[in-house]
Amino acid sequence: MIYLDNAATTKPDEECLSRAEKYLYGEFFNPSALYKGGYNLQCEIRAAREDILSFIANKENFELIFTSCGTESDNTALFGAGRRGNVVTTSGEHSAIFSAANELKQRGVEVRFAELNANGSVNVSSLLNLVDGKTSLVSVIHVGNETGAINDIAAVARAVKAKNKFTHFHSDGVQAFGKIPFKLTNDIDFYSISAHKIGGIKGCGALIKRKNIVIKPLIFGGGQEKGVRSGTENVFGIKDFEFAAVKKYNKIKENYNHVRVLHELLWDKLDKSLFTKISGENCSPYILCVAADGLRGETILHEADDRGLIIGTGSACSSNEKNRYSRTILACGVSESLAGGVLRLSFSAETTKEEVVEAAKILNEIVTNRKAVMT
């Protein structure tokens, strides 16, 4: 099997799972319990919180709240900080933001969507034109989950604050954390991350927030996670998240360079008469978005699956949407004929050159045969 759908989820790292296993069996206590076992687990959670936070933010100004996933983190930021005036986001957001923003509209909050550039990044001028004195929250994805476009969120957040210093700024960093070297600036108020995108398990994520910001929680209960996210903590998932993050950040530059080579190699091996590249120059090397004009991406995906190649056609979290074409891809200015044949090929540090070469061969053959049938 050749796995090139790492933007949807990564394979759990076996070494990290092995290290975290003791929190399933031996140290299974409730972290809120007052006896020694519970207290010790609180200390373990605190260590994980500090470790993960240290890779992305200054602990003097930021704190980390554990959640169940990136979607919950995104929703917590939007519903917690976007409750008044208007909210500004982009047409290229993950469905966790896009759907939450549309729910805000149903609750009476005005939502404004900024335009995209051809590679899927936000058109900054369009975004800033939407920000005014009543804007309570701006949310801009760090790395686009379909095209891999990288937004300079530090610069965007600074420009937003220059227009309205009271506006909160959030970024979905799920496709960036552990992959793109970056530190949060003080203009960024919220940042969402997820474990299963970096070799951790599904069911664990986090929202990083500036310490001086108070938001209303989505989940009420025992007051865990400083009252922002109640519910008994998933210690196993949290520690596995920590171990996976440490492993990724110890080799973040090495992994980045390795994946960049794979990205370039795959595009080099794909037949340019069959495929059009959607991902632009300023995109994450972890994602290569291409399209086969006139074909259905789903058809190519299923044929590739039959041949042992696993790929994506866009965001896995949007696979249940009724629309035939990706709203993000169409917002990039791509025609419907091309948008229907979009494929998302995404890498991990474990992907090999040999796998990439074979993947290109399989895709070239599938599309060539499909085109021949059509003519």
Side-chain angles (χ1 to χ4, degrees):
M1 178 188 75
I2 301 173
Y3 185 70
L4 294 183
D5 197 24
N6 290 278
T9 194
T10 56
K11 180 181 178 181
D13 185 280
E14 293 183 11
E15 178 188 356
C16 298
L17 282 175
S18 179
R19 290 183 62 192
E21 188 178 33
K22 67 178 183 179
Y23 301 101
L24 276 179
Y25 301 110
E27 300 181 31
F28 58 85
F29 313 110
N30 189 322
S32 297
L34 298 179
Y35 48 78
K36 184 170 66 175
Y39 174 76
N40 288 342
L41 288 185
Q42 273 295 338
C43 294
E44 292 282 7
I45 292 174
R46 187 181 308 119
R49 196 188 314 278
E50 292 176 356
D51 265 354
I52 296 172
L53 184 62
S54 69
F55 297 124
I56 192 73
N58 181 336
K59 68 178 182 179
E60 301 302 320
N61 299 322
F62 291 90
E63 59 187 357
L64 183 147
I65 306 299
F66 285 113
T67 65
S68 66
C69 58
T71 294
E72 184 187 335
S73 299
D74 284 346
N75 275 240
T76 300
L78 252 70
F79 291 116
R83 292 178 292 145
R84 57 177 175 78
N86 64 73
V87 168
V88 176
T89 186
T90 84
S91 300
E93 297 299 305
H94 186 277
S95 56
I97 291 294
F98 194 81
S99 297
N102 282 317
E103 174 60 24
L104 280 176
K105 288 170 66 175
Q106 299 299 316
R107 300 183 185 187
V109 177
E110 181 187 358
V111 179
R112 303 169 178 178
F113 294 96
E115 298 173 359
L116 301 184
N117 298 317
N119 72 342
S121 62
V122 64
N123 183 306
V124 179
S125 295
S126 171
L127 181 90
L128 293 177
N129 284 338
L130 299 177
V131 177
D132 60 26
K134 294 183 178 180
T135 304
S136 57
L137 178 72
V138 171
S139 184
V140 176
I141 198 167
H142 193 175
V143 172
N145 55 296
E146 294 194 47
T147 70
I150 301 175
N151 286 304
D152 185 351
I153 58 171
V156 175
R158 184 169 59 250
V160 167
K161 298 284 187 176
K163 287 204 71 173
N164 183 345
K165 65 180 181 180
F166 299 109
T167 298
H168 289 137
F169 186 91
H170 166 262
S171 182
D172 180 331
V174 167
Q175 296 291 350
F177 182 77
K179 301 174 182 180
I180 309 294
F182 177 79
K183 286 279 190 177
L184 297 183
T185 64
N186 286 333
D187 293 315
I188 298 169
D189 302 297
F190 304 99
Y191 193 77
S192 302
I193 59 178
S194 179
H196 76 100
K197 306 294 188 178
I198 60 166
I201 63 166
K202 302 172 188 66
C204 190
L207 177 66
I208 299 169
K209 60 180 284 292
R210 281 205 298 115
K211 284 184 175 180
N212 63 338
I213 296 177
V214 177
I215 58 172
K216 192 173 183 178
L218 286 181
I219 300 174
F220 296 85
Q224 291 89 344
E225 295 302 297
K226 300 183 179 181
V228 178
R229 204 279 183 184
S230 292
T232 303
E233 298 93 337
N234 175 8
V235 183
F236 168 70
I238 287 170
K239 295 304 288 186
D240 183 62
F241 191 4
E242 175 193 10
F243 300 149
V246 169
K247 193 167 185 177
K248 288 299 180 187
Y249 273 93
N250 281 342
K251 291 187 174 181
I252 190 168
K253 292 183 179 179
E254 179 183 333
N255 291 344
Y256 184 93
N257 291 331
H258 170 68
V259 169
R260 183 170 56 184
V261 170
L262 299 178
H263 182 112
E264 294 172 355
L265 178 62
L266 181 52
W267 175 237
D268 180 64
K269 295 295 182 182
L270 287 174
D271 188 333
K272 308 304 183 295
S273 68
L274 302 174
F275 294 97
T276 298
K277 188 177 183 182
I278 307 298
S279 298
E281 291 301 316
N282 187 34
C283 287
S284 167
Y286 283 85
I287 296 175
L288 172 60
C289 183
V290 299
D293 194 12
L295 298 182
R296 292 292 303 273
E298 293 88 344
T299 301
I300 301 170
L301 178 151
H302 290 306
E303 285 199 39
D305 192 9
D306 290 339
R307 297 184 59 173
L309 170 62
I310 298 177
I311 58 177
T313 57
S315 173
C317 292
S318 299
S319 61
N320 294 322
E321 292 182 0
K322 295 181 180 179
N323 293 335
R324 176 176 177 179
Y325 308 107
S326 162
R327 57 176 167 76
T328 296
I329 298 301
L330 292 179
C332 294
V334 176
S335 67
E336 288 190 354
S337 176
L338 198 58
V342 163
L343 303 173
R344 183 182 67 176
L345 314 169
S346 49
F347 314 93
S348 76
E350 290 68 45
T351 308
T352 67
K353 292 181 180 179
E354 292 75 17
E355 289 176 325
V356 162
V357 171
E358 181 63 19
K361 177 184 175 185
I362 292 171
L363 291 173
N364 286 337
E365 290 176 356
I366 290 172
V367 176
T368 296
N369 292 338
R370 280 280 158 187
K371 291 281 189 181
V373 171
M374 293 171 62
T375 55

